[in-house]
Amino acid sequence: MVTIYDVPADDLIEAVAARLEDRIDEPDWVEFTKTGAGKELPPEQDDFWYVRSASLLRKVAQNEPIGIERLATEYGSKKRGSNRYVVRPGEHEGGSRKLIRSSLQALEEEDLVTTASGEGRRLSDEGEAFLSEVATEVFEDLDRPELERYA
């Protein structure tokens, strides 16, 4: 049985994002929001919401139980201020908690993620089956000889 650890992360996230487009709805405000305080502009990807949701689903599967604060730290970046006057080194700023929370709530509505009270979010049984199914399809589509030993 193929798991999320057996396939490359970028291929898995792409495939999960394509599947999530049919299952979850993108909020209206996503095209205007930044991904964190360290960013100056919103993302330019058309399918950003689905890619971020797929990435969050993978992170929850790997690090469960995991909370919003820890996810915001992982999706953060350096805040450098203005590009014109750099007078000191940049500091780490967390990612957008609203974006993460909304995405996880959409995944909860589809029963892919559950909330463990006081601990954070966990992958549900349906979410685990969903990720394994997608990972199996990605593994079969890969044309990489170095991964054949895992088959």
Side-chain angles (χ1 to χ4, degrees), residues 39-151:
K39 301 292 184 182
E40 291 186 19
L41 296 172
E44 294 179 358
Q45 283 179 304
D46 292 333
D47 61 344
F48 165 74
W49 176 257
Y50 303 108
V51 172
R52 178 59 61 99
S53 297
S55 176
L56 282 167
L57 188 61
R58 183 179 166 273
K59 288 258 189 214
V60 169
Q62 284 183 323
N63 304 318
E64 61 183 353
I66 189 169
I68 303 258
E69 287 296 318
R70 190 158 146 219
L71 286 168
T73 302
E74 290 190 23
Y75 284 101
S77 62
K78 275 196 172 186
K79 183 173 185 179
R80 296 197 179 269
S82 171
N83 290 334
R84 188 169 179 188
Y85 302 109
V86 178
V87 293
R88 67 178 192 166
E91 296 177 3
H92 186 271
E93 287 287 329
S96 172
R97 288 158 184 79
K98 163 85 173 170
L99 193 75
I100 293 169
R101 189 178 310 108
S102 299
S103 180
L104 288 175
Q105 287 171 350
L107 292 171
E108 279 182 19
E109 289 175 7
E110 288 297 317
D111 295 327
L112 299 174
V113 175
T114 59
T115 302
S117 62
E119 295 178 353
R121 301 297 205 291
R122 290 181 181 271
L123 199 64
S124 67
D125 293 336
E126 185 178 329
E128 198 169 324
F130 174 73
L131 281 178
S132 294
E133 178 184 329
V134 175
T136 303
E137 288 180 10
V138 169
F139 188 78
E140 290 170 356
D141 293 342
L142 284 178
D143 186 30
R144 297 181 60 183
E146 69 269 11
L147 295 178
E148 286 182 6
R149 65 178 175 209
Y150 295 114

